[in-house]
């Protein structure tokens, strides 16, 4: 059987505050809908009166109606924007909110001052500006997809209760009441409550939810077990050794949190320009107002021109440039099984130079299969599979199941005296013949000669196969090589990445010989083997900094450095997914891995990695185009506003048209082939 032992890996409950559900999307949705409920009547009144010369409400009451309708849009639904904007103005930390806040508040105040005949009323314009801006923020909140529940889901992995021995009686207690030294009883099919050491019993334990590896691990007396893993086929008596924050699961949670917290935020192109754009517009607006007033125009005209500059400069199109492209890109990806969870990944992906792959469940299927069968010259292969399947069908081990599946027998031979041999294999009697199936250690203990199969065993192990030896009456009669199977499209996907200039690396907890064999099969150039789950994130960080030495398939050591995309599917991959510049999770993997990824490949195919890269590049190209058009609009319109050729209402309409242009351009992304 497979007897890999994950020493030092501990896991258990974690006393951690459950994350609060992110309500950002719901909040912006509510503000957007409510804003337009008030803004649409304002738009109708403004257009009918200012454009078509039709007054739907008497002039004496129009200003009051516009002020009343605009107030909740600006000062209730847009309160946070106004607050943030003025804070930025007062602290000289300029952001997009600064122009929005100043433009909307100044426009709104003109409605109040219009009573004194100082200025014309532009209060309705303030509501339209805020409604467009709120819409952009709503779209942006959807695109970012911040609602992440990975910590909550990690917490849910653990067992809820534990069965312990107390005063020689079995009692059931909540997991939170377990103390170090408690003797836990874990029956087949149950989760191990917390980290511990086996005192009595033998069983196979499914570690896949933690390690990501497909083959269960045999556990016997003195072996360490990991909390939240699943006991398969025997009763285990386990002494609790670690609880609470000292467990392996807690450690994984901590790694996810740390990687999440230290990840450098992506600075969007628009953000880099805002610090210069905002104060520049403020200065221009003030100078425009002063110039018009100084050169003989009345105060009303000067304020009107100044407001026009502020309105035309309000970056609604700029605010929509990125989120609309992300929305379209996300929709395109979803149709192809690519989910964009974090909008920042779109920008980051184009800078990626290294693509790191987990092995099991990512490159491979994650299910062991019989790869090769070799029988002795004395027995036919059919007979070998018949007795092997008849014995192994009594075992719950995944390797045993793969042998049974391979044989596809309609009728099994009767087996007596079946026994699991701890850490070695199984045995049983068929007729008068004693059959043993297991590893070389088992055969050596019974002094069974392996001379006939020596070269084959070495060859199979070089290929990374788990080698099962079958003996009959203490004589070896055949061997079976079992291994995980590479996905059919893995080699194709990696070849496409290599042709595009990406460096591909495989990282795995497997031994180097197995890892290199799989890497060669799919065309991966470099390997990092024998990596513990908790160290994967560290290896990714080393690659980012150029500190990690990797083993090439030609045995040469080298260094790699650059922005890293990590592709994985297991819980053990979650910290690495977070640490990487772009985390790509397989949709066929665990929920934790999926929630930790910036991108999710629903179909679990590595071709999706190639498509995701193409989609990311196309989407970011469209974002740059949108930003260009947004700034081009400002470049043309602001001078017209300065010289007094744009009435604030016309400026607001032009601003809306620029937003429409950006949205339309974003939708052209749908024509891109990926």
């Amino acid at each position: 059987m497979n007897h890999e032992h994950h020493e030092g890996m501990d896991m258990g409950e974690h006393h951690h505050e459950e994350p609060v559900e992110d309500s950002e999307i719901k909040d912006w949705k509510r503000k957007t809908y409510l804003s337009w409920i008030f803004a649409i009547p304002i738009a109708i009144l403004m257009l009918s009166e200012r454009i078509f010369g039709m007054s739907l409400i008497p002039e004496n009451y129009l200003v009051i109606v516009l002020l009343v309708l605009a107030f909740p849009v600006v000062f209730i639904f847009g309160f946070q924007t106004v607050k943030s904007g003025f804070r930025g103005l007062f602290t000289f930390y300029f952001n997009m909110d600064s122009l929005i806040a100043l433009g909307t508040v100044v426009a709104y105040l003109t409605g109040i001052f219009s009573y004194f005949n100082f200025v014309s009323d532009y209060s309705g314009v303030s509501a339209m500006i805020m409604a467009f801006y709120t819409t952009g923020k709503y779209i942006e909140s959807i695109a970012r997809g911040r609602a992440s529940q990975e910590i909550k889901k990690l917490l849910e992995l653990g067992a809820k209760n534990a069965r312990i021995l107390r005063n020689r009686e079995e009692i059931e207690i909540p997991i939170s009441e377990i103390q170090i030294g408690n003797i836990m009883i874990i029956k087949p099919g149950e989760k191990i409550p917390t980290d511990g050491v086996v005192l009595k019993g033998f069983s196979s334990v499914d570690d896949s939810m933690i390690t990501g590896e497909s083959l269960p691990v045999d556990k016997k007396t003195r072996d360490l077990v990991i909390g939240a893993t699943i006991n398969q086929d025997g009763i285990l008596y386990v002494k609790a050794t670690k609880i609470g924050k000292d467990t392996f699961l807690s450690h994984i949670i901590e790694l996810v949190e740390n990687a999440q917290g230290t990840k450098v935020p992506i600075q969007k192109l628009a953000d880099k320009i805002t610090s210069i754009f905002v104060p520049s517009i403020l200065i221009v607006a003030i100078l425009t107002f002063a110039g018009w007033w100084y050169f003989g125009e009345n105060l009303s005209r000067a304020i009107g021109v100044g407001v026009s500059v502020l309105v035309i400069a309000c970056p609604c199109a700029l605010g929509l440039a990125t989120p609309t492209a992300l929305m379209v890109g996300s929709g395109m990806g979803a149709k192809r099984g690519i989910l964009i969870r974090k909008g920042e990944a779109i920008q980051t992906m184009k800078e990626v130079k290294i693509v790191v792959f987990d092995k099991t469940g990512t490159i491979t299927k994650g299910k062991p299969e019989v790869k090769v069968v070799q029988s002795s010259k004395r027995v036919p292969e059919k007979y070998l599979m018949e007795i092997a399947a008849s014995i192994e069908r009594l075992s719950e081990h995944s390797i045993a199941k793969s042998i049974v599946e391979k044989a596809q027998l309609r009728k099994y031979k009767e087996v007596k005296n079946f026994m699991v041999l701890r850490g070695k294999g199984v045995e049983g009697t068929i007729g008068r013949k004693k059959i043993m199936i297991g590893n070389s250690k088992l055969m050596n203990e019974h002094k069974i000669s392996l001379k006939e199969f020596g070269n084959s065993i070495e060859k199979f192990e070089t290929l990374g196969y788990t080698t099962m030896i079958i003996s009959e009456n203490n004589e070896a009669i055949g061997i079976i090589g079992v291994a995980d199977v590479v996905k059919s499209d893995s080699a194709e996907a990696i070849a496409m990445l290599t042709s595009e200039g990406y460096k591909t690396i495989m990282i795995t907890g497997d031994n180097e010989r197995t890892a290199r064999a799989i890497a060669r099969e799919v065309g991966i150039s470099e390997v990092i083997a024998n990596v513990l789950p908790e160290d994967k994130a560290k290896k990714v960080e080393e690659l980012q900094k150029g500190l990690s030495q990797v083993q090439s398939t030609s045995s040469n050591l080298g260094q790699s450095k650059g922005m890293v995309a990590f592709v994985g599917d297991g819980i053990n991959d979650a910290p690495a997914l977070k640490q990487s510049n772009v985390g790509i999770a397989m949709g066929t993997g665990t929920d934790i891995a999926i929630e930790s990824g910036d991108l999710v490949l629903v179909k679990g195919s590595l071709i999706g990695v190639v498509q995701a890269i193409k989609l990311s590049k196309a989407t970011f190209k469209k974002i740059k185009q949108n930003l260009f058009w947004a700034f081009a609009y400002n470049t043309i319109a602001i001078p017209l506003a300065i010289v007094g050729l744009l009435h604030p209402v016309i400026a607001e309409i032009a601003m809306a048209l620029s937003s429409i242009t950006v949205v339309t351009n974003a939708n052209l992304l749908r024509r891109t082939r990926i």
Side-chain angles (χ1 to χ4, degrees):
M1 304 291 177
N2 179 33
H3 302 290
E4 292 183 4
H5 195 301
H6 302 278
E7 290 288 342
M9 296 170 57
D10 313 288
M11 184 177 117
E13 62 174 321
H14 184 80
H15 299 292
H16 213 285
E17 245 182 66
E18 211 171 272
V20 179
E21 184 180 358
D22 191 347
S23 60
E24 184 185 25
I25 295 175
K26 291 182 180 179
D27 186 44
W28 282 115
K29 181 180 180 180
R30 179 182 61 83
K31 290 178 180 178
T32 298
Y33 285 176
L34 292 173
S35 293
W36 282 109
I37 289 174
F38 290 91
I40 289 174
I42 290 174
I44 295 172
L45 292 172
M46 288 170 53
L47 291 173
S48 63
E49 198 267 338
R50 304 266 170 86
I51 304 299
F52 302 107
M54 297 170 52
S55 185
L56 301 178
I57 297 176
E59 187 70 27
N60 294 335
Y61 298 102
L62 181 60
V63 175
I64 297 175
V65 172
L66 292 177
L67 284 171
V68 171
L69 290 173
F71 182 85
V73 180
V74 176
F75 297 106
I76 298 178
F77 312 136
F79 175 76
Q80 291 298 330
T81 301
V82 173
K83 181 181 177 181
S84 171
F86 277 100
R87 185 190 296 119
L89 290 172
F90 293 143
T91 60
F92 298 99
Y93 184 76
F94 302 109
N95 53 43
M96 286 190 185
D97 289 350
S98 301
L99 278 181
I100 297 293
L102 191 61
T104 53
V105 172
V106 170
Y108 187 85
L109 291 175
T110 60
I112 298 175
F113 293 141
S114 67
Y115 277 109
F116 306 98
N117 296 317
F118 288 156
V119 296
S120 298
D121 172 30
Y122 307 124
S123 57
V125 175
S126 67
M128 298 300 296
I129 296 171
M130 188 60 74
F132 274 109
Y133 186 73
T134 303
T135 302
K137 297 296 288 185
Y138 172 45
I139 296 173
E140 187 180 7
S141 69
I142 296 173
R144 281 200 302 267
R146 288 181 175 176
S148 181
Q149 297 292 314
E150 62 261 32
I151 303 298
K152 180 180 178 181
K153 291 182 179 181
L154 277 170
L155 291 167
E156 292 173 350
L157 284 177
K160 301 299 185 289
N161 297 297
R163 188 183 295 102
I164 68 168
L165 276 178
R166 184 173 292 174
N167 298 325
R168 298 183 178 181
E169 292 185 2
E170 290 186 23
I171 63 170
E172 191 167 309
I173 62 172
I175 190 74
S176 58
E177 295 181 10
I178 292 180
Q179 297 179 357
I180 293 177
N182 283 162
I183 308 300
M184 303 176 293
I185 305 169
I186 302 101
K187 297 181 179 180
E190 293 181 342
K191 286 183 179 179
I192 296 173
T194 192
D195 304 347
V197 60
V198 178
L199 297 181
K200 186 171 69 173
F202 177 82
S203 183
S204 293
V205 175
D206 181 2
D207 283 346
S208 61
M209 63 190 307
I210 300 300
T211 66
E213 303 301 323
S214 59
L215 302 180
V217 180
D218 291 335
K219 298 293 184 180
K220 60 185 185 299
T221 303
R222 297 182 181 180
D223 283 347
L224 299 176
V225 291
I226 304 167
T229 56
I230 301 172
N231 182 29
Q232 290 199 329
D233 48 22
I235 297 178
L236 293 176
Y237 292 80
V238 177
K239 179 181 179 181
T241 56
K242 293 184 180 181
I243 59 175
K245 64 180 181 179
D246 296 326
T247 62
F248 182 77
L249 180 57
S250 297
H251 188 43
I252 290 291
I253 291 173
E254 186 179 357
L255 289 172
V256 173
E257 290 177 329
N258 289 342
Q260 201 169 15
T262 57
K263 196 172 188 178
V264 179
I266 304 299
Q267 298 297 318
K268 293 185 175 71
L269 181 59
D271 295 332
K272 296 178 181 179
I273 300 172
T274 299
S275 59
I276 300 172
F277 180 73
V278 173
S280 299
I281 290 299
L282 293 178
I283 293 171
V284 169
I286 293 171
L287 292 176
T288 300
F289 164 76
W292 277 83
W293 194 17
Y294 180 79
F295 288 105
E297 293 286 342
N298 58 47
L299 181 61
S300 177
R301 177 61 171 161
I303 292 177
V305 175
V307 170
S308 293
V309 173
L310 289 176
V311 170
I312 206 73
C314 284
C316 291
L318 193 62
L320 288 169
T322 298
T324 50
L326 285 176
M327 284 291 290
V328 176
S330 298
M332 291 177 62
K335 290 181 180 179
R336 294 161 176 81
I338 304 166
L339 302 182
I340 302 172
R341 296 192 66 256
K342 305 290 176 63
E344 291 86 351
I346 296 297
Q347 183 169 343
T348 312
M349 183 66 82
K350 70 182 183 69
E351 304 292 341
V352 166
K353 300 184 183 299
I354 305 169
V355 183
V356 180
F357 297 90
D358 172 52
K359 180 181 76 69
T360 304
T362 302
I363 295 173
T364 66
K365 293 181 178 180
K367 296 180 179 179
E369 294 182 11
V370 174
K371 297 288 287 186
V372 64
V373 179
Q374 182 179 330
S375 62
S376 170
K377 297 177 181 179
R378 298 179 299 278
V379 300
E381 183 178 308
K382 182 179 179 182
Y383 174 76
L384 182 72
M385 292 303 298
E386 282 180 349
I387 63 171
S390 297
I391 293 284
E392 294 286 19
R393 76 184 181 92
L394 302 176
S395 172
E396 294 295 320
H397 204 288
S398 60
I399 289 181
K401 292 177 180 177
S402 70
I403 293 173
V404 174
E405 185 177 341
K406 176 70 174 179
Q408 293 184 335
L409 300 181
R410 293 183 178 180
K411 186 177 180 180
Y412 296 94
K413 297 180 179 295
E414 183 181 358
V415 178
K416 297 180 180 179
N417 304 320
F418 174 79
M419 186 180 298
V420 175
L421 305 172
R422 299 176 181 179
K424 303 166 190 174
V426 295
E427 70 174 31
T429 303
I430 298 178
R432 296 183 177 181
K433 298 177 180 178
K434 180 182 178 182
I435 309 297
M436 288 190 295
I437 306 174
N439 55 23
S440 299
K441 184 179 180 181
L442 176 63
M443 302 299 145
N444 291 333
E445 285 185 359
H446 290 79
K447 298 181 180 179
I448 298 173
S449 175
L450 301 178
K451 186 177 180 180
E452 182 180 352
F453 302 102
N455 292 334
S456 296
I457 292 173
E458 184 178 348
K459 178 183 177 182
F460 292 171
E461 290 179 348
T462 301
L463 293 171
Y465 299 167
T466 299
T467 305
M468 313 295 295
I469 306 164
I470 299 94
S471 72
E472 184 182 77
N473 291 335
N474 290 334
E475 185 178 352
I477 61 172
I479 56 176
I480 299 174
V482 180
D484 203 354
V485 178
V486 172
K487 293 178 181 177
S488 59
D489 58 1
S490 291
E492 180 186 358
I494 289 163
M496 294 170 71
L497 289 171
T498 303
S499 66
E500 292 292 326
Y502 293 95
K503 178 170 287 188
T504 56
I505 299 175
M506 185 175 74
I507 186 168
T508 178
D510 281 347
N511 62 76
E512 187 177 314
R513 188 164 55 188
T514 300
R516 289 175 64 185
I518 297 293
R520 282 195 297 268
E521 185 175 349
V522 298
I524 286 180
S525 57
E526 297 173 346
V527 171
I528 303 176
N530 297 306
V531 180
L532 293 175
E534 62 264 37
D535 291 335
K536 284 188 177 182
K538 184 179 178 182
K539 291 295 181 182
V540 169
E541 185 179 8
E542 290 176 356
L543 286 170
Q544 292 168 324
K545 296 178 180 179
L547 301 175
S548 180
Q549 286 194 326
V550 295
Q551 186 78 42
S552 74
T553 51
S554 61
S555 301
N556 297 320
L557 284 173
Q559 288 185 323
S560 297
K561 179 181 181 181
M563 297 190 71
V564 176
F566 184 90
V567 189
D569 75 313
I571 289 175
N572 60 307
D573 299 325
L577 286 164
K578 283 294 184 183
Q579 176 62 45
S580 63
N581 301 100
V582 181
I584 304 175
M586 307 300 283
T588 52
T590 64
D591 288 344
I592 307 306
I594 292 171
E595 290 292 332
S596 299
D598 302 311
L599 306 176
V600 179
L601 307 182
V602 177
K603 299 177 181 178
S605 169
L606 291 188
I607 295 294
V609 176
V610 181
Q611 292 178 322
I613 291 174
K614 290 181 178 179
L615 177 63
S616 296
K617 289 182 175 180
T619 304
F620 187 71
K621 182 180 179 181
K622 193 60 66 175
I623 289 173
K624 289 196 296 183
Q625 290 176 0
N626 279 353
L627 292 174
F628 169 79
W629 286 114
F631 282 109
Y633 151 78
N634 285 113
T635 303
I636 297 170
I638 289 175
L640 294 176
I642 292 173
V643 298
L645 296 179
L646 285 180
H647 188 278
V649 175
I650 304 299
E652 195 278 327
I653 295 171
M655 182 193 70
L657 290 174
S658 73
S659 299
I660 293 171
T661 301
V662 165
V663 172
T664 302
N665 185 53
N667 277 281
L668 293 176
L669 179 62
R670 302 182 193 278
R671 300 181 180 181
T672 305
R673 292 183 179 180
I674 61 171

